[in-house]
Amino acid sequence: MSSEDFRLFEELASFRVNDTIIADDSFKSRFVWTKCIKMQEMGLMSLDGSQNTLTLSPKNEQSAIVNKDTMLLSFSNTQDNIVEITYQVYLLTNAAKELLDVCVSVLQDDFYIELANTLKKKWKQKAVITLRKVERIGSNQIRYLSEDLTKENNM
C-alpha cells in the first residue's frame, strides 16, 4: 500500500459508524465512487450492497460513538412496539479494521451532522435520532452535552 493509498484510507475511515460506512448521499457526495472502487480493489471495503438493520425495543435506545469519539449518534424508540430501521452500508474488511489502529482519521463534524439530519428526516415516523457532542468517555459511561446538533430537533 502506497502512502497515497493510506491517506485515501484515512479519509474513508473518517466516515465510519462502528465498522461500516452508511451508504447514503451524505457519504457519496464526499467520497466519490472511484475512491470506493479503489478501496475495494485493495481489499479494504466491500461494496456488495449490504444492509444493516437496527432493531429497537419499545422505549429503548441504541447509540454509536462517531467522529473520532467526539460525537454520539443515537436512535431512540418512543413507541410501544419494536421498530426496525434498515439502511444500506459498505462494510470494512478485517484488513481495514486492523489498519484503523494506526490510522489518523480527520474530524468530520459537518458530515455527521448532515448524516444525522438525513437519517432523522427519513426515519422520523419510527425513531428519534439525535447527534450530540461527547464530553468524556469513562470506563462504563459516556458523558455528552444535551444539545442535539441536528438542524431541526423536531423534524
Side-chain angles (χ1 to χ4, degrees), residues 91-152:
L91 303 174
L92 297 180
T93 64
N94 288 336
K97 292 174 195 173
E98 292 292 324
L99 284 175
L100 291 173
D101 291 336
V102 295
C103 165
V104 179
S105 53
V106 179
L107 291 176
Q108 297 284 349
D109 290 5
D110 292 344
F111 165 74
Y112 286 102
I113 291 169
E114 182 180 336
L115 175 64
N117 280 317
T118 301
L119 295 173
K120 180 178 259 190
K121 191 173 188 177
K122 183 175 182 178
W123 299 109
K124 66 182 173 185
Q125 301 300 322
K126 290 190 169 194
V128 175
I129 297 169
T130 58
L131 182 69
R132 294 187 169 93
K133 283 278 191 188
V134 170
E135 195 173 75
R136 184 178 57 222
I137 299 175
S139 56
N140 285 329
Q141 75 181 75
I142 301 168
R143 187 174 178 159
Y144 55 87
L145 303 178
S146 61
E147 179 188 2
D148 182 3
L149 299 174
T150 58
K151 289 181 183 165
E152 294 184 39

Side-chain angles (χ1 to χ4, degrees), residues 12-154:
L12 172 69
S14 300
F15 301 113
R16 68 187 164 87
V17 176
N18 298 329
D19 292 329
T20 66
I21 305 293
I22 297 178
D24 77 329
D25 291 339
S26 303
F27 171 72
K28 292 175 183 176
S29 68
R30 288 173 168 79
F31 201 83
V32 295
W33 185 247
T34 53
K35 292 179 180 180
C36 292
I37 295 294
K38 176 111 174 148
M39 292 290 96
Q40 181 179 32
E41 289 172 349
M42 294 177 61
L44 299 173
M45 184 175 179
S46 171
L47 303 174
D48 66 359
S50 295
Q51 292 187 338
N52 191 17
T53 299
L54 186 61
T55 303
L56 297 169
S57 302
K59 311 289 185 196
N60 203 351
E61 178 177 289
Q62 289 189 32
S63 299
I65 297 177
V66 297
N67 205 21
K68 293 184 70 176
D69 297 344
T70 63
M71 294 179 162
L72 184 71
L73 178 62
S74 299
F75 299 81
S76 302
N77 180 1
T78 58
Q79 301 179 24
D80 292 324
N81 55 323
I82 293 175
V83 169
E84 288 188 346
I85 297 174
T86 301
Y87 47 91
Q88 183 183 3
V89 295
Y90 300 138
L91 303 174
L92 297 180
T93 64
N94 288 336
K97 292 174 195 173
E98 292 292 324
L99 284 175
L100 291 173
D101 291 336
V102 295
C103 165
V104 179
S105 53
V106 179
L107 291 176
Q108 297 284 349
D109 290 5
D110 292 344
F111 165 74
Y112 286 102
I113 291 169
E114 182 180 336
L115 175 64
N117 280 317
T118 301
L119 295 173
K120 180 178 259 190
K121 191 173 188 177
K122 183 175 182 178
W123 299 109
K124 66 182 173 185
Q125 301 300 322
K126 290 190 169 194
V128 175
I129 297 169
T130 58
L131 182 69
R132 294 187 169 93
K133 283 278 191 188
V134 170
E135 195 173 75
R136 184 178 57 222
I137 299 175
S139 56
N140 285 329
Q141 75 181 75
I142 301 168
R143 187 174 178 159
Y144 55 87
L145 303 178
S146 61
E147 179 188 2
D148 182 3
L149 299 174
T150 58
K151 289 181 183 165
E152 294 184 39
N153 295 339
N154 297 314

